[in-house]
Amino acid sequence: MSRLWEAARRGNRAARPDGRPADGGGGPNPLQILRRRFHAGELGSVPVVLGLLVVWIIFESLNKNFLSPRNLSNLSVDIVGIGMISIGVVFVLLLGEIDLSVGSVSGLAAAAFAVLNVRHGVPEPLALLVAVFAGTAIGAVQGFFFAKVGVPAFVVTLAGLLGWNGLMLYILGYSGTVNLDDKGLVAMLTSFYFTHVAAAYGLAVIGTAGYFLASYQDVRRRRAAGVPARPLSEIAVRTGVLAVMSLAAAWVLNQYQGLPLALLIFLVFLVGLDQVLRRTRYGRMIFALGGSVEASRRTGLNVGLVRISVFMVSGTMAAIGGLFLASRVTSATQTSGTGILLMDAIAAAVIGGTSMFGGRGRTWSALLGVLVIQSIASGVALMGIQTAVQFMITGGVLLLAVVIDSLSRRAQRAHGRV
């Protein structure tokens, strides 16, 4: 296990401590830490946050409705479907692999739910579970061919992109569209809001307090173990920034309809799966495998099982994302899961900071990346600009994110950290 832990630490460099002595003595201040991480290629999510701010400033200067409570509230719901899919993509990218089938799987899940519930009268909760488990099963099948048969993940999931899309069209039949009950369970996923002001503010306070307590406990554990830990000053700064941002977001949401249920569910998945990646043995195995397959195999790690499980996570999250996308339009159609959905889901993970080389990333990458992509889409729509411009801007941002990732790895290699 010690060798496995070392491999995981080599793989997940984004979460490295700043090097401050474990005894809690006088360490560098936050500005010094930021400067050191800049030169070492360990900026983490700083570039994407700055990029998001630039996008918001530009579109707000062009259209004063961009940062209006109504538009930001709609944006908070629009990001959920793609964001859920992107979380699953993060897991796959951590292995240094790719899943091209997530768009088709999301469309198939939406179609399966709609047909079961609307055409065959299956109760919504049961139909929803079947749709989600279908995504899990698809992930297991694809993972098996990749991990056990040895077919490259690119080929397996490319075949899935075509095959599952064809199955979706077959299930929908000649009509091509199945409308959902606009008062039903799935429709409420994106239409229900907690209108009391205490809901949004309470979530902001609980989230901030939870972050501080988790960070503080992490520092105590590290110091007790005699390993480097973040200085308390850095934790205080991070907590303060998070408090300001979360309370501001709560205020904006309360100016419109309140806290969206979809956003709450999305945040629960983000936090829960982030804990899985960072706090569990399973998460350490994923990072270790992404850092070095051979080293992980020599430690006794069951490489095939981990690979299959990761694709199962990807398929499950794709199915959940597909249900949220269907909820947004209250229907399942032949275009579900098609178009640029696949590219948006992958781009969101990469733009948010997940490395395409494997071994580095967090579920929060999905949130940051999808915020950038959907902000661009929202701004372009408000401006009445052609969709082609949106594609070009998103493509440029994606290229910039990969360039930053490549330069970061080069800097880390120069410092002997890769």
Side-chain angles (χ1 to χ4, degrees):
M1 275 305 297
S2 61
R3 295 174 62 186
L4 175 60
W5 174 245
E6 287 300 319
R9 289 181 61 190
R10 289 196 298 271
N12 187 23
R13 292 303 177 186
R16 274 183 67 97
D18 53 53
R20 182 177 185 264
D23 59 3
N29 61 46
L31 290 179
Q32 291 174 324
I33 295 170
L34 183 62
R35 189 180 300 112
R36 178 191 299 175
R37 289 180 175 176
F38 175 78
H39 291 294
E42 296 183 346
L43 281 178
S45 59
V46 173
V48 67
V49 172
L50 294 178
L52 180 62
L53 291 176
V54 170
V55 170
W56 282 13
I57 291 172
I58 291 176
F59 281 119
E60 175 65 12
S61 64
L62 296 175
N63 190 311
K64 298 302 180 183
N65 291 322
F66 180 78
L67 292 181
S68 66
R70 180 190 182 106
N71 191 57
L72 291 179
S73 180
N74 289 333
L75 179 63
S76 71
V77 178
D78 290 337
I79 66 174
V80 175
I82 300 176
M84 288 287 194
I85 301 173
S86 186
I87 292 175
V89 173
V90 168
F91 274 73
V92 177
L93 289 179
L94 285 174
L95 297 183
E97 302 295 340
I98 194 70
D99 187 348
L100 300 178
S101 69
V102 289
S104 296
V105 174
S106 70
L108 176 59
F113 170 82
V115 171
L116 287 173
N117 175 242
V118 177
R119 292 183 178 174
H120 299 287
V122 176
E124 279 195 283
L126 179 57
L128 187 149
L129 289 176
V130 170
V132 172
F133 282 130
T136 306
I138 288 172
V141 171
Q142 295 182 156
F144 173 81
F145 279 102
F146 166 58
K148 298 298 184 180
V149 181
V151 182
F154 178 89
V155 177
V156 172
T157 57
L158 178 60
L161 182 153
L162 300 172
W164 307 128
N165 185 63
L167 182 58
M168 178 194 72
L169 297 177
Y170 179 80
I171 289 175
L172 289 174
Y174 294 106
S175 64
T177 300
V178 179
N179 294 319
L180 305 179
D181 180 7
D182 57 4
K183 302 296 183 181
L185 174 63
V186 169
M188 289 182 62
L189 290 176
T190 56
S191 63
F192 182 83
Y193 290 77
F194 297 96
T195 55
H196 198 288
V197 294
Y201 285 122
L203 178 63
V205 172
I206 292 173
T208 302
Y211 171 80
F212 175 78
L213 292 175
S215 300
Y216 182 70
Q217 289 296 326
D218 184 63
V219 169
R220 292 186 59 185
R221 284 194 296 267
R222 285 179 173 274
R223 290 180 177 176
V227 297
R230 284 196 178 106
L232 292 179
S233 59
E234 181 183 351
I235 294 177
V237 171
R238 288 170 174 259
T239 303
V241 172
L242 177 61
V244 171
M245 294 175 59
S246 57
L247 290 173
W251 180 83
V252 170
L253 292 175
N254 282 330
Q255 297 305 302
Y256 185 53
Q257 296 186 62
L259 174 65
L261 173 62
L263 179 60
L264 176 61
I265 297 174
F266 184 37
L267 292 176
V268 169
F269 271 94
L270 280 172
V271 173
L273 292 177
D274 179 66
Q275 293 299 306
V276 169
L277 283 177
R278 296 196 303 120
R279 307 289 184 184
T280 67
R281 183 175 182 271
Y282 174 67
R284 291 193 292 272
M285 288 191 294
I286 292 176
F287 280 116
L289 190 56
S292 174
V293 176
E294 187 57 33
S296 300
R297 183 177 286 111
R298 290 179 179 179
T299 63
L301 187 149
N302 191 329
V303 174
L305 183 61
V306 174
R307 283 175 165 174
I308 292 174
S309 68
V310 166
F311 277 88
M312 291 174 67
V313 171
S314 180
T316 302
M317 296 308 299
I320 294 173
L323 292 172
F324 274 91
L325 292 172
S327 171
R328 197 66 170 136
V329 296
T330 61
S331 66
T333 70
Q334 292 181 337
T335 59
S336 297
T338 60
I340 63 170
L341 175 60
L342 169 63
M343 293 298 101
D344 280 349
I346 296 176
V350 176
I351 291 173
T354 301
S355 175
M356 295 195 71
F357 302 100
R360 189 171 73 249
R362 294 181 60 179
T363 58
W364 294 97
S365 302
L367 172 61
L368 293 173
V370 77
L371 268 175
V372 172
I373 290 177
Q374 289 301 111
S375 293
I376 294 172
S378 177
V380 167
L382 285 176
M383 295 296 298
I385 304 175
Q386 294 181 357
T387 307
V389 177
Q390 174 190 338
F391 295 164
M392 290 186 285
I393 296 174
T394 304
V397 173
L398 175 60
L399 177 60
L400 179 61
V402 177
V403 169
I404 292 175
D405 181 34
S406 299
L407 294 177
S408 174
R409 287 180 61 85
R410 182 181 302 176
Q412 290 180 4
R413 191 177 295 112
H415 285 72
R417 296 175 177 175
V418 175

